[in-house]
Amino acid sequence: MSVKILNKLLLTIGVISLLHAAYSAAQYRTFLRITEQDSSQLPFDIVLQALVSLFVIVYNIIQVVGDFKEIRAAVELQEKTWETLSNIPSFYIFNHRGKALAPNYVPPSGSGKADLSSAD
Amino acid sequence: MSYNYEELSWSDVKDMLRKWRETTDRKSESIVQLWEAVLEEKMGKLGNERHIILEQVVIAALDCGRMDIADKCMKELIAEFPDSMRVHRLKAMRFEMLESYDKALEILDGIIKKDETNPSARKRKVAILKAKGMNLEAIAEICDYLTKFMSDQEAWHELCNLYLQEADFEKAVFCMEELLLHNPHSYLLHLRIADIRYTMGGTENMETAKSYYLYAIKLNPTNLRALYGLYLCCLHITNSKTVLAKRKEAQTLGQWALTQISEKNSKRKSKTSNKYIAALDSAFANMDIKGK
């Protein structure tokens, strides 16, 4: 849990740092224009800050968002069990012994034997 | 199963119900209990899952014969969606539970008339035939359904179950193979086909069953059912009158399966206490002596 919070914190710091790098780059550009210097390259520290904060963001976003799914198709299917294989919700039928679980269940009248013979 | 309700928060229960919906567990009694104990008071908090949970609870309540709960939840749904086909289907299911199948059929036919492409109503009609015990008619109905909705996996599966009940193994295998085309990586389907082939018997079927078991083991190496099935198949082939080379091969394969099984068993045994199993073993040994 604390790891999650740390990840979220790092993510926020990363985003702020990336924005800061962008702001610094813009500042640097205006500085160049004012002093009428000519350079197409950004200073190394701004580039480094941008790259580092990008990687921090990418890593922490992956940690925060959630678990990955297994790439092999069989792994997910391994979790299914034999017991639930034949349970098909669209074809449930309700006249089974589960009825007797109801608190207001009234057992059918007459002895079991009579029922059997009438069913034949 | 019973749960300690005080320890469960409503969101835990919500997650549990969702898991059961996804894995199609038929835990109707637990669902009804959890609904009564935890979720019913929190109905307003369920958000966009509310309706699907209500539907789940209605079906579970019908499954347990709890008409009171089913009616209460259904009232909520009817008040919100008076014309919904899905709610109409639930009404039909309620009549099914009360065993007034004619009324249920009336509602279902009404749904199909309004919306001819509604698969769930047609499936319920099959279920009604099944509930009446008319398996052959159910098979005819579901075959008719499958000519219209050929890619419905649930229906193929149900058809397979019905054929198995009628002991028509050839056709059951056909249905399973159809499912396998949809889901080639599911070890359970391979296992199913292997089991059916094994039940059919005969050397040729044993060979097929063996390869399906092997594939199931490949997809899920920890599956004991597949290993034991493989062992039984190999035993069968070793004792049959096939070519010697094949018998030899089956024997080694059977041995391998057996060692795998005992390895897994010994792992499991070391987790539980050995003492009881030893006591059980000695008890069985005594029985053997008496038998002789």
Side-chain angles (χ1 to χ4, degrees), chain A residues 2 22 26 29 34 36 45 48-49 52 54 56-58 61 63 70 80 83 87 97 100 107 109 111 117:
Chain A
S2 60
R29 278 281 161 83
I34 290 166
E36 291 181 347
D45 58 339
L48 188 73
Q49 189 188 351
V52 166
L54 181 72
V56 167
I57 289 173
V58 167
I61 259 191
Q63 296 299 314
E70 184 73 42
K80 286 198 168 186
E83 283 76 25
N87 266 351
R97 58 194 171 160
S109 55
S111 67
S117 56

Side-chain angles (χ1 to χ4, degrees), chain B residues 167-173 193-203 205-206:
Chain B
D168 199 340
F169 298 121
E170 281 291 343
K171 287 177 180 163
V173 164
I193 295 179
D195 278 0
I196 298 171
R197 287 277 180 202
Y198 181 81
T199 315
M200 282 160 89
T203 319
N205 281 325
M206 282 300 154

Side-chain angles (χ1 to χ4, degrees), chain B residues 44-230:
Chain B
K45 285 190 187 173
L46 292 174
N48 55 3
E49 257 181 282
R50 187 169 152 251
H51 300 119
I52 202 157
I53 286 178
L54 276 173
E55 188 188 27
Q56 189 183 13
V57 172
V58 169
I59 293 172
L62 289 174
D63 212 11
C64 298
R66 295 292 302 269
M67 273 328 239
D68 45 336
I69 295 176
D71 282 346
K72 217 192 280 173
C73 297
M74 214 126 92
K75 225 178 247 168
E76 297 268 336
L77 286 173
I78 290 171
E80 272 180 78
F81 310 101
D83 297 322
S84 160
M85 297 292 171
R86 216 155 146 176
V87 174
H88 279 297
R89 190 186 60 129
L90 285 181
K91 276 186 199 164
M93 280 161 111
R94 183 173 169 270
F95 282 122
E96 270 176 53
M97 199 256 131
L98 295 169
E99 292 186 34
S100 41
Y101 295 118
D102 293 332
K103 278 186 188 168
L105 276 177
E106 219 172 273
I107 296 175
L108 291 174
D109 281 332
I111 296 176
I112 293 172
K113 218 178 198 178
K114 267 191 198 165
D115 175 15
E116 279 193 33
T117 55
N118 192 321
S120 53
R122 290 174 199 262
K123 285 188 192 171
R124 287 319 303 173
K125 278 174 90 172
V126 177
I128 289 176
L129 287 172
K130 221 174 87 183
K132 281 181 179 171
M134 297 153 76
N135 273 356
L136 291 176
E137 284 82 352
I139 287 174
E141 181 84 25
I142 206 168
C143 284
D144 184 49
Y145 169 83
L146 278 171
T147 55
K148 288 169 190 133
F149 302 87
M150 264 168 267
S151 58
D152 190 327
Q153 295 187 39
E154 276 191 325
W156 280 112
H157 211 134
E158 185 61 31
L159 185 58
C160 173
N161 287 346
L162 286 169
Y163 276 134
L164 284 180
Q165 276 178 25
E166 297 296 315
D168 199 340
F169 298 121
E170 281 291 343
K171 287 177 180 163
V173 164
F174 177 82
C175 298
M176 270 296 141
E177 280 165 356
E178 198 74 29
L179 279 172
L180 200 60
L181 290 180
H182 285 283
N183 246 337
H185 290 295
S186 167
Y187 80 97
L188 288 169
L189 296 178
H190 289 277
L191 206 51
R192 231 327 148 63
I193 295 179
D195 278 0
I196 298 171
R197 287 277 180 202
Y198 181 81
T199 315
M200 282 160 89
T203 319
E204 214 169 287
N205 281 325
M206 282 300 154
E207 287 285 344
T208 334
K210 192 183 85 182
S211 32
Y212 274 113
Y213 277 128
L214 281 170
Y215 208 81
I217 294 169
K218 189 181 168 192
L219 289 172
N220 186 0
T222 57
N223 191 259
L224 269 184
R225 193 185 174 98
L227 282 170
Y228 188 59
L230 178 67

Side-chain angles (χ1 to χ4, degrees), chain A residues 29-50:
Chain A
R29 278 281 161 83
T30 44
F31 168 73
L32 283 186
R33 213 175 298 142
I34 290 166
T35 53
E36 291 181 347
Q37 290 175 27
D38 201 38
S39 166
S40 60
Q41 276 277 324
L42 278 175
F44 181 67
D45 58 339
I46 296 183
V47 176
L48 188 73
Q49 189 188 351

